[in-house]
Amino acid sequence: MRRIVPNICSNDLEKSKNFYIDFLGMDLAMDMGWILTFVSKENETAQISIFRNEKTNH
């Protein structure tokens, strides 16, 4: 096994983007509007994907 990429849902992708880039210092590898993938600068196999939360509370 070479890597496992966790997937997390977010209610605010812009805040998530700021957190992973500014606070954790990761690179944004992909931004498709509904999913963001971040990569560690030190180890490119360390990645995380953030999905836009599509759940609504009714």
Side-chain angles (χ1 to χ4, degrees):
M1 189 176 317
R2 293 173 93 30
R3 70 177 179 197
I4 296 173
V5 179
N7 298 322
I8 297 175
C9 290
S10 172
N11 291 329
D12 190 329
L13 287 182
E14 195 59 36
K15 283 185 181 178
S16 295
K17 188 186 293 187
N18 292 336
F19 175 78
Y20 287 97
I21 292 172
D22 297 337
F23 186 74
L24 292 182
M26 298 182 85
D27 287 330
L28 180 62
M30 180 180 69
D31 182 349
M32 296 185 71
W34 59 276
I35 181 175
L36 307 170
T37 298
F38 299 93
V39 178
S40 167
K41 292 179 181 181
E42 293 82 25
N43 177 359
E44 64 184 31
T45 61
Q47 300 179 4
I48 189 165
S49 293
I50 311 297
F51 288 81
R52 181 176 58 226
N53 188 1
E54 297 292 337
K55 267 188 162 177
T56 57
N57 295 326
H58 293 284

